[in-house]
């Protein structure tokens, strides 16, 4: 009888557990967290090119799971909403208004479409008009707004925005817009047959085809036909009154008008398509057209790229970087790699810039050459332009000043900086729009000076700044620097007014608002007055904490403590350490502080910061550097450095008297999830872990991952050493795995979490796997985000707070 009773008890328990798993619906975390997650987002600010008008766009909160449940095509490296012929999972603005630059004269726009879903928005170069897309249930429309009349009207519909963000561009006449629509009369989408016509075959005839682990690829000929159906489009130009189609239907990768609006730089995607790489590695043709759609000059026929370059500073041998010169009416430029893409070749110059101006006859002209990889040009006037080159292997960025009319003349080196070195970063040169509406250098002092602005990283945190750079001798003068207790950053320079700049200003309790700052007298004029969307967090303590690793490396984290917390009365708290590892070659750079103690406590619905309302100390943005000095790569001692970073952070919290060392959780997203799993496998520092959307078996990403350039076959021991999947038997503390079932990030496909869970389960670990339907690498729907926070809350309460 006793055995029978035990048997029925066990059976009831099993049935209860099975029912609980099968019947689990979306759940919600505690109300304090829900209120933070559902706070109304602050409006976005879009300032006109002439600096006179501001557009405010209001966005709704989290979308629903219904929105994510719309039909979605995952094909050719794209995610498509077939109902509207645009990208799926887009966020939209649902409200729009205008006001003057000084914050006065707020006004409502007339004639807006019902149920507005505003996507891309762009000003005309003169600031008198703006255009935007509106997405309906089965269409993407193009609309035009008039600042003077405050009215909008629809221009066209059936836009194709599958490839290329936005889908439209203004022409420099300030009245014409170029855009793409679906191919008229294209018929019905090809349907796969239920009966296969034959096998799917791929073949490689001795050529290398190394590629990272991509998702959403083409798989068969039917996929190819569907891909061509949805990516095919025609080019149209609206000239202010009528619409004209130019050219023939094709798969247009990009369509860029020349600065003077007389030509188009067009890249078309060609066959053969590939089943190994996304569409942007497919063959393509680059050509110059006139505005009637006639080809003027074919610049390049680029082949299929299936053998992706590996190693620092390696690239494809073909020409690249086709673009227009911003400072000329119609001059095209591109880069040719003199080393054939192999940076290991010993040569003085590795990249060569070529230019060709209208009417695009004759041979291209050799322009500037670079000793490192070409990093771009910021154009200025007839006397000054800035050339950038870089080396990823050396973590080096170099900038030169040169005469754009004498490119073979002397290039003056003005900055040489280690890219990891945030403290000594001089900032970026400020730009403005020229007569063509293109970004060029902003000059001051009648052309004798330029402006530099940057984040201003320092041991006390980021302090954005504006400097004046004297062209003649390279000297700089500090015009302004953000001061405590505020974090103030540069949004834009006001055209034609040397001493006025638009900034975004915030503090721990004050949300970012826009101001006009007078650099001469320090006067501030407030433009916006956004309220704090998180009153629940007022009084929460935020502090930048600095400490050292056992080997002397400087580290830091942002410490958040609950409102009203008194460590003398309450004692140490349960804590959460949230981090993301980053690789460095220099210990000095690895120890530099990032972030600011004065930034507003902005909390996304997925943020771990919500748990400060539940009695946890949160050590957020903890520095987790992985350093490889000299000939060593950072990952050679990955695990040991992870553990040292985690131990140092906990020790510092304990030393401060705010962290209970027996009740600390560790967590992270993506590479942070990979970090979390490794920490639980190779230390007993943490009570539990939370790992979101991670990759745990590095043999499933055999041609490199993150910044690791070596392949599995070159370093098999390293891939085994770094993979927590290979060490599942060592995990003794509870771990919560969360993953989106529709993850599209390279390498972090859902199978990673499923197989890691099976490995942990097979070794008797305490583990829970939560797969979120319809969600990608980052989670977006209200139901998923609420449930994710509910799962995290329960896990932390059980295995950390009440351990």
């Amino acid at each position: 009888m006793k055995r029978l009773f035990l048997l029925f008890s066990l059976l009831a328990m099993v049935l209860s557990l099975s029912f609980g798993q099968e019947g689990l619906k979306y759940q919600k975390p505690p109300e304090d967290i829900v209120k933070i997650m559902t706070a109304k987002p602050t409006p976005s600010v879009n300032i006109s090119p002439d600096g006179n008008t501001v557009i405010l766009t209001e966005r709704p909160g989290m979308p629903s799971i219904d929105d994510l449940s719309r039909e979605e095509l995952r094909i050719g490296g794209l995610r498509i909403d077939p109902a509207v012929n645009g990208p799926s999972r887009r966020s939209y603005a649902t409200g729009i208004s205008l006001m003057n630059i000084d914050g006065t004269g707020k006004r409502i726009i007339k004639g807006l479409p019902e149920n507005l879903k505003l996507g891309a928005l762009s000003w005309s170069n003169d600031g008198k008009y703006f255009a935007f897309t509106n997405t309906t249930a089965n269409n993407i429309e193009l609309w035009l707004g008039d600042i003077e009349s405050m009215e909008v009207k629809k221009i066209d519909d059936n836009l194709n925005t599958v490839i290329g963000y936005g889908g439209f561009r203004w022409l420099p006449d300030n009245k014409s817009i170029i855009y793409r629509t679906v191919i008229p009369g294209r018929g019905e989408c090809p349907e796969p047959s239920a009966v296969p016509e034959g096998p799917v075959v791929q073949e490689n005839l001795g050529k290398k085809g190394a590629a990272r682990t991509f998702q959403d690829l083409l798989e068969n000929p039917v996929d190819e036909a569907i891909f061509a159906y949805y990516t095919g489009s025609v080019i149209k130009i609206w000239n202010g009154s009528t619409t004209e189609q130019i050219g023939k239907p094709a798969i247009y990768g990009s369509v860029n008008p020349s600065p003077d609006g007389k030509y188009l730089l067009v890249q078309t995607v060609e066959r053969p398509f590939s089943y190994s790489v996304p569409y942007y590695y497919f063959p393509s043709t680059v050509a110059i057209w006139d505005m009637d759609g006639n080809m003027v000059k074919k610049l390049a026929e680029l082949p299929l790229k299936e053998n992706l370059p590996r190693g620092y500073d390696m690239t494809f041998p073909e020409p690249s970087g086709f673009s227009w010169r911003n400072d000329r009416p119609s001059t095209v430029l591109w880069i040719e790699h003199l080393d054939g893409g192999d940076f290991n070749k010993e040569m003085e110059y590795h990249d060569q810039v070529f230019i060709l101006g209208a009417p695009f006859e004759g041979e291209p002209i050799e322009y500037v050459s670079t000793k490192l990889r070409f990093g771009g040009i910021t154009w200025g006037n007839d006397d000054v332009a800035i050339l950038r080159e870089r080396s990823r292997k050396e973590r080096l960025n170099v900038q030169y000043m040169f005469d754009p009319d004498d490119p073979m003349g002397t290039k003056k080196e003005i900055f040489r900086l280690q890219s990891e070195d945030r403290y000594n970063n001089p900032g970026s040169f400020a730009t403005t729009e020229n007569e063509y509406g293109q970004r060029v250098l902003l000059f001051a002092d009648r052309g004798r000076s330029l402006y530099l602005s940057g984040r201003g990283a320092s041991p006390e945190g980021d302090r954005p700044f504006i400097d004046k750079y004297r062209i003649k001798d390279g000297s700089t003068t500090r015009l302004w620097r953000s001061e405590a207790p505020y974090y103030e950053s540069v949004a834009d320079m006001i055209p034609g007014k040397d001493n006025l700049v638009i900034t975004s200003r915030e503090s721990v309790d004050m949300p970012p608002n826009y101001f006009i700052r007078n650099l001469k007298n320090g006067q501030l004029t407030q433009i916006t007055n956004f309220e704090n969307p998180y009153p629940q967090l007022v009084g929460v303590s935020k502090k930048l904490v600095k400490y050292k690793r056992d080997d002397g490396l400087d580290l830091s984290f942002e410490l958040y403590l609950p409102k009203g917390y008194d460590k003398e009365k309450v004692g140490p708290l349960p804590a959460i350490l949230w981090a993301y590892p980053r690789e460095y070659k220099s210990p000095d750079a690895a120890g530099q502080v990032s972030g600011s103690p004065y930034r507003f406590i902005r909390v996304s619905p997925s943020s771990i910061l919500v748990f400060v309302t539940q009695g946890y100390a949160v050590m957020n943005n903890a520095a987790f550097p992985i350093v490889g000095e000299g000939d060593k790569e950072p990952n050679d001692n990955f695990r040991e450095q992870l553990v040292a970073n985690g131990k140092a952070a906990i020790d510092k919290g304990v030393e401060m008297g705010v962290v209970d060392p027996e009740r600390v959780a560790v967590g992270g997203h993506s590479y942070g999830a990979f970090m979390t799993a490794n920490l639980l496998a190779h230390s007993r520092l943490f009570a539990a872990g939370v790992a979101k959307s991670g990759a745990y078996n590095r043999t499933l990403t055999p041609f490199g991952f993150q910044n690791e350039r070596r392949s599995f076959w070159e370093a098999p021991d390293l891939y085994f050493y770094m993979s927590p999947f290979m060490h599942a038997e060592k995990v003794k503390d509870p771990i919560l795995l969360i993953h989106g079932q529709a993850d599209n990030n390279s390498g972090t496909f859902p199978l990673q979490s499923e197989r890691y869970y099976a490995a942990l389960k097979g070794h008797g670990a305490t583990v829970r796997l939560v797969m979120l339907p319809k969600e990608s690498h980052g989670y977006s729907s209200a139901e998923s985000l609420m449930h994710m926070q509910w799962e995290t809350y329960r896990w932390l309460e059980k295995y950390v707070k009440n351990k």
Side-chain angles (χ1 to χ4, degrees):
M1 179 65 71
K2 190 173 182 180
R3 286 186 177 180
L4 189 61
F5 174 77
L6 287 173
L7 180 62
F8 277 116
S9 297
L10 288 171
L11 182 60
M13 185 182 298
V14 170
L15 289 174
S16 174
L17 287 172
S18 298
F19 179 79
Q21 289 176 347
E22 292 174 2
L24 183 63
K25 307 294 185 183
Y26 287 112
Q27 302 294 317
K28 292 183 178 181
E31 188 61 25
D32 284 345
I33 295 178
V34 172
K35 288 180 179 178
I36 294 172
M37 295 177 69
T38 55
K40 186 178 180 181
T42 301
S44 298
V45 172
N46 195 319
I47 301 170
S48 63
D50 59 7
N52 293 328
T53 312
V54 175
I55 288 180
L56 299 174
T57 53
E58 297 183 3
R59 297 186 178 274
M62 300 170 284
S64 73
I65 197 68
D66 290 343
D67 296 321
L68 266 64
S69 297
R70 288 171 61 98
E71 183 183 358
E72 180 182 63
L73 284 174
R74 303 169 190 171
I75 195 165
L78 294 166
R79 294 203 163 178
I80 301 170
D81 182 343
V84 301
N85 221 103
S88 60
R89 302 171 182 268
R90 286 287 305 275
S91 61
Y92 301 101
T94 54
I96 179 172
S97 59
L98 273 76
M99 65 181 185
N100 300 328
I101 191 63
D102 60 3
T104 64
K106 188 171 181 178
R107 45 209 188 269
I108 304 300
I109 300 169
K110 295 173 286 188
L112 287 170
E114 294 185 12
N115 302 316
L116 175 68
K117 283 189 174 182
L118 185 149
L121 184 148
S122 179
W123 287 97
S124 61
N125 300 333
D126 60 6
K128 295 181 179 180
Y129 303 95
F130 61 94
F132 63 92
T133 61
N134 177 56
T135 300
T136 67
N138 55 11
N139 184 20
I140 298 177
E141 304 168 336
L142 180 61
W143 287 67
L144 177 77
D146 186 325
I147 296 300
E148 183 176 353
S149 68
M150 287 301 299
E151 294 181 342
V152 296
K153 65 178 181 180
K154 187 171 75 170
I155 295 174
D156 207 343
D157 53 18
N158 291 318
L159 267 65
N160 188 334
T161 62
V162 167
I163 296 178
Y165 177 76
F168 68 90
R169 295 280 298 270
W170 282 95
L171 296 179
D173 64 3
N174 296 308
K175 67 176 184 179
S176 302
I177 301 174
I178 188 167
Y179 56 100
R180 286 170 273 176
T181 70
V182 301
I183 299 172
R186 64 180 178 176
E188 297 295 322
C189 179
E191 291 287 344
S193 171
V195 179
E197 296 181 356
V200 177
V201 177
Q202 298 185 59
E203 182 178 57
N204 187 66
L205 301 177
K207 292 184 178 180
K208 290 184 178 181
R212 291 223 171 183
T213 313
F214 297 110
Q215 299 190 59
D216 302 337
L217 301 179
L218 302 177
E219 295 182 357
N220 52 56
V222 177
D223 278 356
E224 294 188 50
I226 295 173
F227 172 81
Y229 178 85
Y230 283 105
T231 56
S233 63
V234 295
I235 300 173
K236 291 184 178 180
I237 296 178
W238 181 76
N239 63 11
S241 58
T242 60
T243 298
E244 177 186 2
Q245 177 181 323
I246 66 171
K248 298 178 180 179
I251 301 175
Y252 293 104
S254 61
V255 179
N256 296 317
S258 60
D260 62 1
K262 294 182 179 179
Y263 299 94
L264 297 175
L265 181 60
V266 178
Q267 185 166 14
T268 54
V269 177
E270 311 288 352
R271 293 178 182 272
F273 301 154
S274 171
Y275 298 175
S276 301
V277 292
Y279 80 92
Y280 42 85
Y281 292 129
F282 292 178
S284 64
T285 298
V286 183
I288 296 172
W289 291 8
D290 64 22
M291 297 307 289
D292 293 323
N294 303 307
M295 182 184 293
V296 175
K297 178 80 173 181
K298 182 184 290 186
L299 296 175
E301 291 184 346
L302 305 177
L304 173 65
K305 301 178 180 69
E306 288 188 327
N307 184 30
L308 305 190
R310 290 187 304 107
Y312 293 109
D313 303 312
M314 300 300 189
T315 190
F316 297 106
E318 296 80 26
S320 62
F322 294 89
S323 62
W324 295 107
R325 275 187 63 166
N326 289 5
D327 64 333
R328 292 291 183 267
S330 48
T331 297
V332 68
L333 70 86
W334 65 91
I335 299 92
E336 295 191 9
H337 308 292
L338 304 177
D339 55 16
D342 183 0
F343 197 79
N344 289 326
K345 290 183 179 178
E346 292 288 337
M347 49 201 319
E348 183 177 6
Y349 295 103
H350 287 269
D351 285 353
Q352 174 71 57
V353 178
F354 284 87
I355 64 170
L356 185 63
F360 312 107
E361 298 171 351
E363 294 299 314
I365 299 171
E366 290 187 2
Y367 200 60
V368 291
S369 53
T370 61
K371 295 182 178 181
L372 306 177
R373 283 285 177 241
F374 176 77
I377 296 175
T378 304
W379 302 98
N381 55 22
D382 290 339
D383 300 316
V384 176
I386 306 296
L387 170 68
R388 300 182 298 279
E389 57 180 65
R390 55 178 172 74
S391 168
R392 294 189 184 277
K393 182 177 183 179
E394 302 299 328
R395 269 78 164 178
L396 182 64
N397 290 328
V398 184
Q399 295 190 43
Y400 301 89
M401 186 174 290
F402 74 101
D403 182 346
D405 286 339
D406 184 20
M408 297 303 180
T410 302
K411 298 195 298 285
K412 176 185 175 184
E413 182 178 310
I414 55 176
F415 298 128
R416 178 174 290 264
L417 177 74
Q418 293 296 315
S419 57
E420 298 175 343
D421 184 2
R422 296 187 294 273
Y423 288 178
N424 292 301
N425 191 323
S428 301
F429 287 104
T431 60
T432 187
E433 291 190 353
N434 61 11
E435 67 270 29
Y436 305 121
Q438 307 294 313
R439 302 300 297 190
V440 294
L441 291 168
L442 175 62
F443 289 89
D445 301 332
R446 298 180 181 179
R448 293 190 294 269
S449 300
L450 300 169
Y451 290 106
L452 282 167
S453 67
R455 290 169 53 186
S458 74
E460 60 207 78
D462 291 348
R463 295 183 60 188
F465 65 89
I466 299 175
D467 286 347
K468 186 175 284 187
Y469 178 91
R470 193 164 181 259
I471 294 173
K472 184 177 181 180
D473 59 11
S475 61
T476 59
T477 303
R478 179 65 38 100
L479 300 179
W480 166 82
R481 189 184 188 194
S482 180
E483 298 286 346
Y486 298 100
Y487 176 87
E488 189 172 357
S489 59
V490 179
D492 204 356
M493 311 291 285
I494 297 182
K497 299 180 180 178
D498 284 358
N499 294 315
L500 298 184
V501 59
I502 298 173
T503 66
S504 174
R505 195 172 198 238
E506 62 192 274
S507 67
V508 173
D509 293 327
M510 184 184 80
N513 273 289
Y514 287 84
F515 291 79
I516 298 175
R517 171 174 284 278
N518 189 312
L519 297 176
K520 195 170 184 179
N521 59 25
Q523 180 180 350
L524 280 174
T525 302
Q526 189 162 354
I527 300 174
T528 63
N529 191 22
F530 303 135
E531 296 181 354
N532 186 345
Y534 317 115
Q536 302 85 357
L537 297 178
V538 173
V540 166
S541 167
K542 178 185 179 183
K543 183 178 182 180
L544 178 65
V545 178
K546 295 187 281 187
Y547 53 100
K548 288 184 181 292
R549 205 164 74 176
D550 287 345
D551 59 2
L553 189 68
D554 291 319
L555 302 176
S556 64
F557 58 68
E558 296 169 359
L559 177 64
Y560 296 81
L561 297 172
K563 180 169 52 179
Y565 168 68
D566 185 339
K567 70 178 180 182
E568 303 302 329
K569 295 180 180 179
V570 179
L573 297 172
I576 307 166
L577 176 69
W578 200 262
Y580 190 96
R582 300 187 186 279
E583 296 91 344
Y584 296 88
K585 291 295 288 182
S586 162
D588 291 339
Q592 293 181 355
V593 173
S594 64
S596 167
Y598 305 114
R599 299 209 69 168
F600 177 64
I601 303 178
R602 182 180 292 281
V603 185
S604 71
S606 62
S607 174
I608 200 68
L609 293 183
V610 297
F611 291 99
V612 77
T613 66
Q614 304 303 306
Y616 292 88
V618 180
M619 296 179 281
N620 193 45
N621 194 28
F624 260 68
I626 308 298
V627 184
E629 296 186 73
D631 295 334
K632 286 191 173 182
E633 290 295 324
N635 286 338
D636 292 346
N637 299 106
F638 180 82
R639 291 181 349 204
E640 292 80 1
Q641 294 193 62
L642 278 188
V643 174
N645 292 331
K647 182 179 182 299
I650 294 174
D651 288 349
K652 183 60 180 180
V654 172
E655 176 192 313
M656 296 174 68
V658 300
V659 170
D660 180 350
E662 299 299 318
R663 296 187 295 161
V664 182
V666 62
H669 179 264
S670 195
Y671 209 53
F674 176 70
M675 170 204 75
T676 299
N678 265 304
L679 283 168
L680 293 189
H682 303 293
S683 78
R684 297 302 304 278
L685 293 169
F686 300 96
V690 179
K692 304 176 186 175
S693 300
Y696 308 105
N697 183 350
R698 283 304 170 196
T699 68
L700 297 178
T701 56
F703 286 105
F705 56 90
Q706 206 69 5
N707 287 317
E708 178 55 60
R709 297 299 196 270
R710 293 165 289 187
S711 74
F712 167 75
W713 295 274
E714 293 170 309
D717 292 343
L718 177 75
Y719 277 66
F720 187 94
Y721 158 84
M722 289 186 66
S723 296
F725 177 86
M726 308 302 183
H727 307 280
E729 81 283 0
K730 299 177 183 177
V731 176
K732 305 302 180 184
D733 298 299
I735 182 169
L736 173 64
L737 304 175
I738 303 175
H739 215 118
Q741 286 186 337
D743 194 326
N744 68 336
N745 185 55
S746 175
T748 58
F749 28 78
L751 179 68
Q752 288 274 11
S753 284
E754 293 167 352
R755 299 313 301 154
Y756 187 46
Y757 169 78
L760 291 169
K761 180 181 178 182
H763 287 94
T766 299
V767 58
R768 181 177 174 89
L769 173 63
V770 180
M771 302 298 291
L772 299 174
K774 309 294 183 181
E775 294 292 351
S776 188
H777 191 57
Y779 322 136
S780 59
S781 76
E783 291 84 351
S784 295
L785 288 166
M786 293 280 189
H787 189 86
M788 180 267 293
Q789 297 289 32
W790 176 79
E791 292 278 3
T792 305
Y793 169 77
R794 289 174 69 246
W795 200 256
L796 297 177
E797 290 288 299
K798 182 174 183 178
Y799 294 112
V800 181
K801 181 185 285 187
N802 300 304
K803 178 182 176 184

